[in-house]
Amino acid sequence: MAGDGGSLLPGQLAAMEGAALVSAATEPEERAMEAALRPKNLDDFVGQARVRRQLSLVLEASRMRGRTADHVLMSGPPGLGKTTLAMIIAAEMNAPLRISSGPAIQHAGDLAAILSSLSEGEVLFLDEIHRMSRPAEEMLYMAMEDFRVDIIVGKGAGATAIPLELPPFTLVGATTRAGLLPGPLRDRFGFTGHLEFYSVAELELVLRRSAGLLDLKLTSAGFSEIAGRSRGTPRIANRLLRRVRDWALVHAVDSIDARTAGAALDMYEVDARGLDRLDRAVLESLVLKFNGGPVGLSTLAIAVGEEPETVETVAEPFLVREGLLGRTPRGRIAMASAWEHLGLRMPENTAAAALGQTSDDSEFE
Ligand SMILES: Nc1ncnc2c1ncn2[C@@H]1O[C@H](COP(=O)(O)OP(=O)(O)O)[C@@H](O)[C@H]1O
Ligand SMILES: [Mg+2]
């Protein structure tokens, strides 16, 4: 993720600001705000009707059986509610919650320490579970299936495995890249919830709820304006709301309408379609430096000064969904509408043109 590598490449800062729109909160103030706005139970959780229904059944059934809930995997792009749902699962099961993440578990011993200190029925949330080390992953298989781990004591020929019984617990894993999870791990989850991008109407509900909690006044059109620029993502909706709140405060606006919201977000370089700086950097690179591709993910990431994983998980899902970017076996390509969105005319010799796409389809009607 942005910032992991220590020093910054030129151009990385701008891209980071874009990525910061969607990636997990890092500043204390931001974290406090996220915590304050997080729905605490399933009924307050907006949208994702299918996942909510499925999850509610899983939890209800385990409550009726008086057992800990099955292990649950949450998959989907950042900011759609994976962490929130993990917390809701613990709350709905009236169970304590332990939080860790794949990158924090580099050795099997790290995981053993966590597992061996769990209490009965505890919910263990492992964020970014696809980034756990291999040995830890293998230990997790056994823990999930048999509630047991083997603690290895000693080294080499003298090493012995001491089996350790674990109390029943519920693992909630979250991943932005379910495809990267090894099959055996995926198979050990009793239920996988695939989170989808939210509709504008759902985001309006998220925003209404947040505005209520923050004591902000917006008109209906004000809510729609922000929702329309939120890229289908509640985290972004809440961040944009905060930016709009700042703008309204400074400009002494007390009821925020569409014009106020639009003006505020234009200033923060979130365009009418919700593209932020990282999205535009990716599209501009693809179009201007690579003539629309195809270009490999890592080359594209270098061109925008970002980690490939950030480009792939933060920018691409949205750009693909918007029909601006395509993934082909030979690499990423800009679709005809990318030129259009950037206010440019698509040259004839592009990958998109070869696909039979034109920047103005009506030309051929
Ligand atoms: N369905 C939802 N309803 C209301 N708010 C939501 C919903 N999903 C996410 N949020 C808000 O968006 C923010 C990010 O959600 P989070 O669960 O941290 O996303 P993820 O873990 O998938 O990256 C949280 O502050 C939460 O309040
Ligand atoms: Mg999260």
Side-chain angles (χ1 to χ4, degrees):
M1 284 307 248
D4 269 359
S7 63
L8 292 176
L9 297 168
Q12 194 164 7
L13 197 62
M16 266 178 58
E17 283 165 12
L21 263 181
V22 67
S23 60
T26 48
E27 304 156 37
E29 194 203 342
E30 182 83 43
R31 274 206 304 273
M33 160 109 167
E34 280 216 338
L37 296 182
R38 243 182 241 294
K40 302 281 186 288
N41 51 54
L42 268 186
D43 289 338
D44 271 0
F45 193 84
V46 174
Q48 308 290 348
R50 193 162 36 84
V51 170
R52 221 165 18 146
R53 242 190 342 263
Q54 295 164 336
L55 192 58
S56 139
L57 200 73
V58 169
L59 298 181
E60 180 70 32
S62 63
R63 272 196 302 256
M64 286 172 69
R65 288 199 312 264
R67 304 268 302 269
T68 56
D70 243 348
H71 305 304
V72 173
L73 181 65
M74 293 294 166
S75 85
L80 300 193
K82 299 182 294 298
T83 300
T84 305
L85 281 173
M87 293 179 168
I88 288 176
I89 290 172
E92 298 263 337
M93 294 305 289
N94 233 327
L97 174 69
R98 184 80 59 93
I99 299 178
S100 188
S101 73
I105 299 174
Q106 280 320 311
H107 307 286
D110 300 336
L111 183 64
I114 295 173
L115 290 172
S116 60
S117 66
L118 290 176
S119 56
E120 177 155 356
E122 193 155 352
V123 172
L124 171 61
F125 175 49
L126 291 183
D127 207 357
E128 298 187 75
I129 194 169
H130 62 277
R131 291 176 62 189
M132 205 165 47
S133 74
R134 213 55 226 254
E137 217 167 68
E138 273 157 23
M139 173 179 278
L140 191 59
Y141 297 162
M142 197 198 263
M144 291 171 77
E145 200 153 83
D146 304 329
F147 298 107
R148 190 167 68 86
V149 290
D150 282 334
I151 308 281
I152 310 290
V153 181
K155 280 207 166 83
T160 41
I162 302 179
L164 178 69
E165 297 289 325
L166 303 173
F169 65 97
T170 298
L171 176 70
V172 180
T175 180
T176 46
R177 308 219 289 179
L180 282 190
L181 280 192
L185 183 53
R186 241 181 307 158
D187 295 345
R188 282 170 170 81
F189 287 98
F191 167 69
T192 299
H194 297 282
L195 299 188
E196 312 279 349
F197 285 109
Y198 292 65
S199 68
V200 171
E202 288 168 336
L203 291 173
E204 284 178 25
L205 294 176
V206 171
L207 287 165
R208 279 181 192 277
R209 184 179 166 275
S210 303
L213 292 169
L214 298 172
D215 208 12
L216 289 174
K217 261 193 290 175
L218 283 91
T219 65
S220 287
F223 282 120
S224 330
E225 184 67 34
I226 302 176
R229 297 187 188 215
S230 299
R231 311 176 38 169
T233 307
R235 173 176 292 136
I236 299 182
N238 284 338
R239 283 190 181 160
L240 298 187
L241 181 65
R242 208 164 79 147
R243 294 286 77 80
V244 170
R245 176 191 65 176
D246 293 349
W247 199 94
L249 179 69
V250 170
H251 291 80
V253 172
D254 57 24
S255 175
I256 298 163
D257 59 11
R259 218 167 50 93
T260 306
L265 296 177
D266 284 345
M267 204 199 87
Y268 289 106
E269 297 180 82
V270 173
D271 71 23
R273 203 161 165 180
L275 273 73
D276 62 26
R277 292 177 67 149
L278 176 64
D279 303 320
R280 276 195 306 273
V282 167
L283 280 192
E284 274 167 19
S285 266
L286 201 46
V287 160
L288 300 175
K289 295 185 187 150
F290 303 106
N291 193 39
V295 60
L297 172 66
S298 48
T299 310
L300 185 58
I302 290 168
V304 298
E306 208 22 279
E307 297 291 329
E309 183 168 351
T310 305
V311 172
E312 191 175 26
T313 61
V314 176
E316 278 191 356
F318 174 67
L319 294 175
V320 169
R321 191 176 66 124
E322 289 288 296
L324 293 163
L325 182 143
R327 288 177 176 151
T328 73
R330 291 176 51 224
R332 273 55 177 177
I333 62 169
M335 305 303 267
S337 53
W339 277 269
E340 211 172 289
H341 188 74
L342 297 172
L344 301 168
R345 205 179 157 74
M346 183 174 79
E348 267 151 33
N349 59 343
T350 64
L355 282 178
Q357 279 222 328
T358 65
S359 51
D360 180 7
D361 279 336
S362 59
E363 261 178 32
F364 291 100
E365 278 173 13

